[in-house]
Amino acid sequence: MVRQMKSFLFLFIVLVLSETVMSARKPSKSQSKPCKNFVLYYHDIMFGVDDVQNATSAAVTNPPGLGNFKFGKLVIFDDPVTIDKNYQSEPVARAQGFYFYDMKNDYNAWFSYTLVFNSTQHKGTLNIMGADLMMEKTRDLSVVGGTGDFFMSRGIVTFETDTFEGAKYFRVKMDIKLYDCY
C-alpha cells in the first residue's frame, strides 16, 4: 500500500511539473491582437545620372549577370516614409538600410532597415528585416526590435506594392502590427 502511494505521489508530481513546463511554452492569448497598428508609405527613388538631388537610394553593386532578375545587386537607401501616398507629404520617419536581390530565377529581395521616427507623434526606431517575395501581393517582414516609443518592439510589417515605375520609383504600403509593446 505504501509502495502504491509513493508511486501515485511520484506520478502526480511528474504530471504537475510537466503541465507547468508545458503551460510556460503556450503563447499568450493576449498576443492575438496587436498592441499597436499603423500604416505608413515607403517611397524609393533610385539614383540615376540626372537626379542626384531627388535620389533616396543607390545601387552599390551591379548584378554579376547570373540570370535576368538582378541577382547580387545591393541597394543602400535613406527613404522618406509618409502617412499617405503623397511623396510630397511631410515624412514621419526615414527608412535607412539596404536590400539585395537574392534569387536567380525570379524577383526577390532581402531587406534590413531601421525606421527612424523623429516627429511630434513618435520618437525612436523600429528595426525590420526579412524576405520581400516581390511577385506576391503581400509579404510579411519581421519587426525585430526598437527604441524610444518602440522600445524592444516585435511584430510584423506587411508589404504591399502600391506603385511601381520600373527601377526609377516605387512606393510600398507598410501595415505595421506590433505584438510586444513596452
Side-chain angles (χ1 to χ4, degrees):
M1 178 82 166
V2 172
R3 188 173 194 190
Q4 287 178 334
M5 286 295 282
K6 284 183 180 179
S7 295
F8 176 76
L9 184 60
F10 175 76
L11 185 59
F12 177 75
I13 290 171
V14 167
L15 287 172
V16 168
L17 287 176
S18 65
E19 179 59 27
T20 303
V21 170
M22 296 287 277
S23 66
R25 294 182 184 160
K26 292 179 185 173
S28 168
K29 292 189 190 274
S30 66
Q31 291 181 346
S32 63
K33 292 184 180 175
C35 49
K36 286 187 183 177
N37 188 2
F38 50 96
V39 173
L40 298 173
Y41 290 87
Y42 167 105
H43 304 267
D44 183 86
I45 299 175
M46 183 64 73
F47 171 72
V49 294
D50 61 345
D51 60 354
V52 174
Q53 294 297 90
N54 293 324
T56 61
S57 65
V60 294
T61 63
N62 288 321
L66 298 172
N68 297 323
F69 300 98
K70 301 182 185 180
F71 178 77
K73 183 177 184 177
L74 173 66
V75 176
I76 307 294
F77 59 86
D78 180 14
D79 292 333
V81 176
T82 62
I83 59 172
D84 59 22
K85 296 179 179 188
N86 187 351
Y87 175 74
Q88 301 297 325
S89 294
E90 186 69 27
V92 294
R94 302 290 300 182
Q96 299 173 333
F98 65 91
Y99 60 90
F100 56 87
Y101 292 90
D102 62 347
M103 193 175 225
K104 292 193 314 183
N105 57 359
D106 206 350
Y107 287 105
N108 186 58
W110 194 85
F111 275 78
S112 180
Y113 67 100
T114 300
L115 287 178
V116 180
F117 293 87
N118 191 11
S119 66
T120 55
Q121 190 175 15
H122 295 294
K123 298 239 186 281
T125 65
L126 277 176
N127 300 312
I128 299 165
M129 61 177 30
D132 180 6
L133 307 170
M134 295 175 183
M135 295 299 119
E136 300 294 324
K137 180 174 172 35
T138 62
R139 295 87 67 193
D140 289 334
L141 281 72
S142 301
V143 175
V144 296
T147 64
D149 293 345
F150 307 104
F151 179 71
M152 292 181 58
S153 291
R154 290 188 307 165
I156 298 292
V157 176
T158 301
F159 271 17
E160 186 173 353
T161 303
D162 190 60
T163 297
F164 180 75
E165 298 175 9
K168 183 79 173 157
Y169 173 78
F170 68 85
R171 179 176 60 234
V172 173
K173 175 183 174 185
M174 297 186 297
D175 184 3
I176 300 169
K177 296 177 265 330
L178 302 178
Y179 293 93
D180 282 346
C181 304
Y182 295 93

